[in-house]
């Protein structure tokens, strides 16, 4: 038996819109601690990890650890039927092969039940160790989205370099090249506009912009985005979800060709 | 060719061992490809209508080059790192099978002549495909082409299938691509079918996982090899009247060919008089392979070499070849994308699926029961 009541239903709608481009089918895992998802894109380059902690729900009941395989496009279709102010409740019975989404209007004058078929998804779960990152950049999510969008009109890849000066995003393509540098900026009165760089050592990594652009679909969830970088590790692009959890995107870097390949 | 009816047998009895995968999902992976099989397919399919095939000015067939060139570029563009493995000397055991194929080809050649005289177009189409033979010249052409493209070539001491499997077992490559189900019998841990199919067919790649095959069939690797021999392989005859399903039942019941022979009703089934199944088993278990292969390297293409070989010697369109070379070069860039698995390792999940799989409980119990009986059997 599973029953999760989320007052701010729009969060779930936004989460779905943020990940459905990257992943088509995924298992949602439910445990006593929270509602989570981990899934890779079909080419195993990017991974999305979602966590909505149990405390963030108005009512949270999950008797045993469960996983529910869902087609995210279908799930998004159903959630689009919920109003932005609706309360969303996710319900499932043991042994059932469906999940029910219940949408309640804020005034309680309309209740809608949407039942969706579940699917068997054979997915690999990756163990992600906690790592110390060489550089952590926190910046306005809208700014990051703009940078990725702008750069992708010039090139396919972005080099993200963090130095004492700030964080630099650069690309180059057939028509030319571009460099965008963001400096540390701690605006006291508007924390959501701050750019904060914590650097242990300088780091520079290359990523495919296609994926970065897809990650920025989560910008509506949070004013700020955190980008954690380490050489030899996938980048983590994290959006916090209203005190109750996060959505994290991991992206494997482009690797420098072997010496022989360059020759 | 390969193991008779094994695909269907696995689809019926080990569906979880087969997974459909997108072609794109293999980017960054090193994949060993059975070259001879691919060349054979190219000769049959590429640019052929009836008796007409692609040829150069000297009238030599170039279908294999066209096929090899285009398909390999497709792999490279998807970021896949192909390694082509060529057949060496066939094992003596296979000679009989090869002789059979030779005589079939002879028959087809004769029939073809008749069909051409009779003007039967459908028959010509069908029979001309049957007369296709991969010659040493075809192989050498392809090797030369691949080297010019900067793609590594491995020459197997004997069977290419076996060599591919050995490369995969030793983590030199991620998977083996072939259409020949032998790869599984040789124990290739990961085996892909339809990787080399033309993109126009839109057939997803079918990935077989040997460990899961064994788990689902509830067999050991040795028993699986025996099963394949019973189904019918390239090395020896099989017992008439015993197909895949019966073979699986017998192997599960008796555990090995020896024990099946002791218990089999000899009046009902005729066992071939000269049946070297032990020899066949040995070929699958200890095939003649080498791990002493040069380091697998993917180098930039030799542009001049390719133009001279393809355009000057074999009448390819120069514009197309130049464009294709550009594709190879830009594909290099794509292959530099890392995969998440090289950073994070898979772990088992703890949560059970809500949607109950009807069979999962039953099979796990059956597997457990089977283990017990196996253990008991050994003690006796």
């Amino acid at each position: 038996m599973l029953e999760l009541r989320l007052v701010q239903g729009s969060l779930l709608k936004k989460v779905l819109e943020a990940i459905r481009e990257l992943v088509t089918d995924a298992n949602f895992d439910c445990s006593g601690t929270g509602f989570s998802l981990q899934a890779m894109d079909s080419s195993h380059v990017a991974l999305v990890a979602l966590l909505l902690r149990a405390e963030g729900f108005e009512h949270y009941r999950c008797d045993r650890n469960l996983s529910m395989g869902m087609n995210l496009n279908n799930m998004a279709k159903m959630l689009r039927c919920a109003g932005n102010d609706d309360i969303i409740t996710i319900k499932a019975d043991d042994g059932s092969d469906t999940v029910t989404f219940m949408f309640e209007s804020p005034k309680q004058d309309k209740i809608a039940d949407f039942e969706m078929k579940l699917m068997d998804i054979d997915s690999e779960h990756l163990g992600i160790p906690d790592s110390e990152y060489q550089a952590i950049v926190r910046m306005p999510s809208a700014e990051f989205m703009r940078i990725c969008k702008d750069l992708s009109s010039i090139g396919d890849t972005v080099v993200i370099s963090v130095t004492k000066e700030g964080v630099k995003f650069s690309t180059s393509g057939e028509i030319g090249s571009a460099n965008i540098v963001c400096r540390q900026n701690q605006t006291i009165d508007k924390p959501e506009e701050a750019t904060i760089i914590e650097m242990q050592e300088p780091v520079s990594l290359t990523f495919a912009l296609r994926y970065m652009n897809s990650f920025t679909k989560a910008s509506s969830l949070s004013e700020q985005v955190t980008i954690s970088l380490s050489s030899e590790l996938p980048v983590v692009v994290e959006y916090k979800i209203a005190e109750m959890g996060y959505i994290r995107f991991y992206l494997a870097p482009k690797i420098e060709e072997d010496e022989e390949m360059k020759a | 060719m390969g193991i008779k009816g094994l695909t269907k047998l696995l689809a019926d009895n080990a569906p979880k061992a087969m997974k459909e995968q997108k072609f794109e999902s293999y980017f960054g992976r090193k994949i060993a490809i059975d070259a001879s099989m691919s060349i054979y397919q190219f000769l049959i399919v590429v640019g052929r209508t009836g008796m007409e095939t692609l040829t150069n000015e000297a009238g030599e067939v170039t279908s294999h080059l066209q096929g090899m060139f285009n398909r390999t570029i497709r792999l490279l563009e998807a970021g896949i790192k192909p390694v082509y493995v060529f057949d060496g000397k066939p094992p003596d055991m296979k000679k009989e099978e090869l002789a059979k194929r030779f005589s079939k080809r002879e028959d087809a050649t004769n029939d073809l002549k008749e069909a051409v005289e009779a003007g039967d177009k459908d028959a010509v189409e069908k029979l001309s495909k049957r007369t296709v033979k991969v010659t040493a010249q075809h192989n050498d052409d392809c090797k030369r082409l691949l080297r010019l493209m900067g793609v590594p070539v491995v020459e197997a001491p004997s069977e290419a299938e076996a060599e591919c499997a050995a490369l995969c077992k030793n983590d030199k490559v991620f998977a083996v691509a072939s259409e020949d189900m032998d790869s599984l019998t040789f124990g290739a841990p990961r085996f892909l079918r339809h990787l080399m199919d033309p993109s126009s067919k839109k057939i997803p790649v079918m990935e077989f996982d040997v460990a899961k095959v064994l788990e689902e069939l509830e067999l050991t690797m040795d028993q699986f090899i025996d099963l394949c021999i019973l189904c019918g392989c390239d090395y020896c005859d099989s017992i008439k009247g015993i197909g895949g399903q019966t073979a699986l039942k017998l192997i599960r019941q008796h555990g090995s060919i020896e024990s099946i022979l002791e218990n089999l009703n000899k009046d009902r089934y005729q066992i071939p008089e000269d049946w070297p199944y032990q020899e066949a088993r040995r070929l699958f278990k200890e095939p003649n392979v080498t791990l002493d292969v040069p380091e697998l390297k993917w180098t930039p293409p030799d542009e001049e070499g390719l133009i001279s070989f393809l355009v000057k010697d074999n009448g390819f369109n120069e514009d197309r070849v130049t464009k294709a070379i550009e594709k190879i070069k830009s594909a290099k860039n794509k292959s530099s994308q890392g995969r998440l698995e090289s950073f994070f390792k898979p772990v088992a999940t703890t949560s059970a699926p809500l949607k109950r799989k009807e069979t999962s409980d039953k099979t796990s119990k059956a597997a457990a029961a089977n283990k017990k009986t196996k253990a008991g059997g050994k003690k006796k």
Side-chain angles (χ1 to χ4, degrees):
Chain A
M1 173 75 184
L2 172 93
E3 202 171 290
L4 320 179
R5 186 173 153 95
L6 184 64
V7 176
Q8 209 181 338
S10 60
L11 283 181
L12 199 59
K13 287 164 69 103
K14 286 179 188 165
V15 163
L16 253 283
E17 293 304 320
I19 59 177
R20 74 185 177 88
E21 192 182 275
L22 201 64
V23 186
T24 44
D25 301 317
N27 282 317
F28 283 86
D29 295 310
C30 223
S31 72
T33 51
F35 188 63
S36 65
L37 168 148
Q38 193 208 76
M40 274 187 280
D41 79 304
S42 65
S43 51
H44 293 200
V45 173
L47 179 143
V48 50
L50 165 78
L51 174 68
L52 298 173
R53 280 185 281 271
E55 305 87 77
F57 291 86
E58 191 200 39
H59 169 73
Y60 190 98
R61 177 176 170 192
C62 174
D63 298 345
R64 62 185 176 100
N65 291 5
L66 286 177
S67 87
M68 293 183 286
M70 301 192 208
N71 175 294
L72 299 187
N73 276 320
N74 293 346
M75 186 176 172
K77 265 185 206 164
M78 297 212 162
L79 292 181
R80 257 179 247 142
C81 303
N84 275 333
D85 305 324
D86 282 4
I87 299 162
I88 298 183
T89 306
I90 304 170
K91 291 190 286 193
D93 288 322
D94 281 342
S96 150
D97 57 359
T98 59
V99 60
T100 303
F101 302 108
M102 188 172 81
F103 310 141
E104 293 166 70
S105 67
K107 279 189 262 164
Q108 300 285 321
D109 51 357
K110 180 179 149 198
I111 294 168
D113 268 324
F114 284 73
E115 195 179 68
M116 188 175 82
K117 289 186 186 123
L118 293 174
M119 52 200 290
D120 275 333
I121 301 167
D122 204 13
S123 70
E124 257 178 325
H125 209 82
L126 295 187
I128 301 170
D130 284 325
S131 323
E132 288 277 314
Y133 285 88
Q134 289 163 352
I136 298 173
V137 176
R138 215 172 76 214
M139 62 189 291
S141 56
E143 189 61 57
F144 179 61
M145 177 160 77
R146 177 73 199 266
I147 290 170
C148 290
K149 189 168 150 267
D150 288 351
L151 292 186
S152 58
S153 62
I154 315 265
D156 298 330
T157 57
V158 55
V159 181
I160 307 180
S161 333
V162 184
T163 59
K164 288 195 299 275
E165 315 299 314
V167 54
K168 184 170 82 174
F169 301 87
S170 26
T171 191
S172 65
E174 274 177 32
I175 60 165
S177 62
N179 285 297
I180 300 171
V181 178
C182 297
R183 294 223 170 81
Q184 175 117 334
N185 161 27
Q186 278 167 302
T187 318
I188 311 286
D189 46 339
K190 285 184 182 166
E192 70 274 10
E193 283 175 20
T195 297
I196 297 161
I197 297 165
E198 291 168 37
M199 187 192 82
Q200 311 296 326
E201 50 187 302
V203 56
S204 175
L205 287 162
T206 310
F207 301 100
L209 272 168
R210 186 161 69 86
Y211 291 98
M212 285 291 180
N213 269 317
S214 163
F215 300 166
T216 60
K217 295 258 186 314
S219 299
S220 59
L221 282 164
S222 175
E223 297 275 358
Q224 289 255 311
V225 58
T226 309
I227 305 160
S228 309
L229 299 144
S230 262
S231 43
E232 313 292 313
L233 271 184
V235 63
V236 190
V237 178
E238 176 178 326
Y239 297 87
K240 290 253 184 289
I241 303 173
E243 307 295 314
M244 71 180 294
Y246 56 77
I247 183 162
R248 285 180 190 154
F249 298 99
Y250 294 81
L251 177 61
K254 294 235 172 190
I255 299 155
E256 285 296 313
E257 302 277 301
D258 302 333
E259 295 305 309
E260 307 89 51
M261 309 268 293
K262 271 187 193 162
Chain B
M1 285 258 164
I3 308 296
K4 273 185 211 113
L6 186 60
T7 318
K8 189 177 178 300
L9 189 69
L10 293 184
D12 292 344
N13 295 283
K16 278 188 210 147
M18 308 160 76
K19 254 195 298 192
E20 279 187 3
Q21 296 279 18
K22 282 189 187 148
F23 183 76
E24 293 74 24
S25 68
Y26 292 101
F27 91 88
R29 299 292 199 194
K30 297 175 183 175
I31 293 181
I33 299 168
D34 174 6
S36 312
M37 172 61 96
S38 304
I39 296 172
Y40 180 73
Q41 283 181 316
F42 297 147
L43 286 172
I44 291 180
V45 184
V46 178
R48 167 186 286 270
T49 38
M51 296 273 284
E52 302 284 315
T53 49
L54 290 176
T55 55
N56 58 15
E57 276 176 11
E60 287 159 353
V61 176
T62 56
S63 296
H64 57 302
L65 291 175
Q66 185 81 47
M68 191 57 99
F69 192 52
N70 294 340
R71 267 344 127 67
T72 306
I73 289 175
R74 185 171 165 243
L75 295 177
L76 292 172
E77 280 194 297
I80 295 171
K81 298 177 172 177
V83 186
Y84 285 91
V85 181
F86 285 80
D87 270 323
K89 200 167 104 1
D92 291 343
M93 298 272 301
K94 206 172 177 176
K95 282 191 177 144
E96 208 167 305
E97 171 73 19
L98 293 176
K100 257 191 236 165
R101 287 185 202 167
F102 182 76
S103 77
K104 270 190 199 157
R105 204 153 46 223
E106 288 280 276
D107 292 346
T109 315
N110 292 332
D111 292 347
L112 179 62
K113 270 187 207 148
E114 282 170 31
V116 171
E117 278 163 25
D120 182 347
K121 271 191 193 158
D122 289 344
V124 170
E125 177 84 41
K126 210 163 78 188
L127 289 165
S128 64
K129 282 184 186 172
R130 284 197 212 150
T131 60
V132 168
K133 182 181 188 298
V134 180
T135 64
Q137 181 64 40
H138 293 146
N139 277 330
D140 290 343
D141 287 349
C142 286
K143 279 180 212 166
R144 186 167 162 207
L145 172 69
L146 290 167
R147 289 191 177 118
L148 288 170
M149 291 173 80
V151 172
V153 166
V154 170
E155 304 204 30
S158 183
E159 297 251 54
E161 292 293 320
E163 182 67 31
C164 288
L167 290 175
C168 191
K169 272 189 219 169
N170 288 278
D171 288 328
K172 301 252 186 207
V173 296
F174 175 76
V176 174
S178 173
E179 295 310 307
D180 210 331
M181 295 294 281
D182 281 11
S183 300
L184 284 176
T185 324
F186 283 118
R190 254 191 225 91
F191 164 56
L192 314 178
R193 279 186 95 178
H194 309 309
L195 186 79
M196 298 294 279
D197 280 9
S199 51
S200 55
K201 276 205 203 159
K202 294 228 160 70
I203 300 178
V205 178
M206 185 65 86
E207 180 175 322
F208 292 81
D209 182 333
V210 155
K212 282 208 183 126
V213 167
L214 299 180
E215 194 185 306
E216 292 248 302
L217 293 180
E218 295 158 28
L219 296 179
T220 63
M221 190 63 211
D222 288 358
Q223 290 172 330
F224 179 67
I225 292 174
D226 278 9
L227 171 70
C228 292
I229 295 172
L230 285 171
C231 287
C233 65
D234 288 348
Y235 299 138
C236 61
D237 289 330
S238 55
I239 304 170
K240 273 209 179 70
I242 295 187
Q245 272 305 345
T246 323
L248 179 60
K249 208 180 90 195
L250 288 170
I251 284 286
R252 278 182 178 161
Q253 199 176 344
H254 301 294
S256 72
I257 294 186
E258 279 83 357
S259 159
I260 290 173
L261 289 181
E262 275 171 32
N263 293 290
L264 199 66
N265 181 344
K266 305 254 183 349
D267 299 326
R268 198 165 146 209
Y269 296 108
Q270 205 162 14
I271 293 151
E273 263 173 47
D274 175 30
W275 197 38
Y277 67 88
Q278 281 155 321
E279 190 63 11
R281 186 192 282 161
R282 195 186 56 79
L283 279 172
F284 281 123
K285 278 183 77 167
E286 300 152 18
N288 182 7
V289 293
T290 175
L291 285 171
D292 186 23
V293 292
E295 201 192 331
L296 304 174
K297 278 186 204 165
W298 289 263
T299 52
D302 173 351
E303 294 180 46
E304 281 169 34
L306 278 172
I307 290 187
S308 133
F309 180 54
L310 291 177
V311 181
K312 292 204 188 102
D313 300 352
N314 286 293
F316 278 48
N317 178 309
E318 183 162 358
D319 279 355
R320 278 204 201 167
V321 174
T322 330
K323 268 188 202 146
I325 293 172
E326 283 308 311
K327 279 191 194 167
I328 302 177
K329 286 202 279 183
S330 66
K332 281 260 166 280
N333 181 29
K334 199 169 177 189
S335 69
S336 64
Q337 173 68 57
R339 294 180 71 99
L340 280 172
E341 288 102 328
S342 37
F343 302 97
F344 303 142
K345 296 285 163 262
V347 290
T349 46
T350 47
S351 39
L354 175 69
K355 180 178 173 184
R356 268 203 203 134
K357 291 172 195 162
E358 301 288 330
T359 50
S360 65
D361 281 53
K362 265 188 247 162
T363 47
S364 60
K365 263 179 217 158
N370 187 274
K371 264 178 212 154
K372 271 175 219 154
T373 52
K374 252 184 240 159
K378 267 175 207 157
K379 270 177 214 157
K380 279 172 210 165

